[in-house]
């Protein structure tokens, strides 16, 4: 089955950096675009960044543009989110996401990881 496992979250001071990883399994990773979302309690989940299946196209939320970089290693079935110049408002649970069409399915199904907590505080 499709599994997404995030790692790399933690406590960091403002201005610091973290790199999140999302290890994927259960589908042909190199065939699918991947996304990172984040969510603060009481607020809607926010799309942070996306990357095309081959990695040639990336998109970012305005709030993270110039500070975050999404990348992927299709040989390792892993997508990354490098976060630099972190701000307190970046504090959230970060989720990995993919929409996958398996077997004879007509429509793609949404899959989420369990998330990793990033806390930016002094």
């Amino acid at each position: 089955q499709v599994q997404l496992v995030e790692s790399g979250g933690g406590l960091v001071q403002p201005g610091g950096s973290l790199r999140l990883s999302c290890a994927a399994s259960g589908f042909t990773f190199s065939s699918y675009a991947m996304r990172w979302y984040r969510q603060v309690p009481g607020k809607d989940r926010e799309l942070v960044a996306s990357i095309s299946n081959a990695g040639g196209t990336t998109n970012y939320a305005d709030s993270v543009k110039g500070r975050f970089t999404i990348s992927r290693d299709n040989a390792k079935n892993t997508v990354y989110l490098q976060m630099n110049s972190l701000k307190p408002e970046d504090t959230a649970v970060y989720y990995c996401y993919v929409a996958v069409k398996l077997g004879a399915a007509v429509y793609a199904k949404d899959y989420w990881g369990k998330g990793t907590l990033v806390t930016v505080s002094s």
Side-chain angles (χ1 to χ4, degrees):
Q1 69 278 24
V2 173
Q3 284 193 315
L4 301 171
V5 180
E6 302 96 337
S7 62
L11 174 63
V12 62
Q13 292 187 339
S17 298
L18 280 176
R19 187 174 85 151
L20 306 184
S21 299
C22 171
S25 60
F27 64 103
T28 305
F29 181 75
S30 59
S31 296
Y32 291 91
M34 299 293 298
R35 299 178 186 172
W36 283 98
Y37 284 80
R38 67 185 180 186
Q39 189 169 27
V40 175
K43 293 191 174 182
D44 290 338
R45 203 165 283 191
E46 172 192 21
L47 176 61
V48 175
S50 63
I51 187 167
S52 60
N53 64 311
T57 301
T58 57
N59 289 286
Y60 299 91
D62 287 343
S63 57
V64 307
K65 210 169 286 184
R67 301 187 297 121
F68 289 13
T69 303
I70 188 171
S71 62
R72 65 191 294 159
D73 185 337
N74 284 349
K76 295 183 178 180
N77 287 4
T78 301
V79 61
Y80 305 97
L81 186 66
Q82 178 66 46
M83 306 186 294
N84 298 329
S85 302
L86 282 161
K87 305 175 181 180
E89 52 263 43
D90 294 317
T91 296
V93 178
Y94 285 72
Y95 297 92
C96 186
Y97 164 90
V98 67
V100 176
K101 200 159 63 171
L102 293 175
V106 176
Y107 301 105
K109 181 178 176 181
D110 296 339
Y111 293 91
W112 297 89
K114 293 184 178 179
T116 185
L117 176 62
V118 172
T119 303
V120 184
S121 174
S122 54

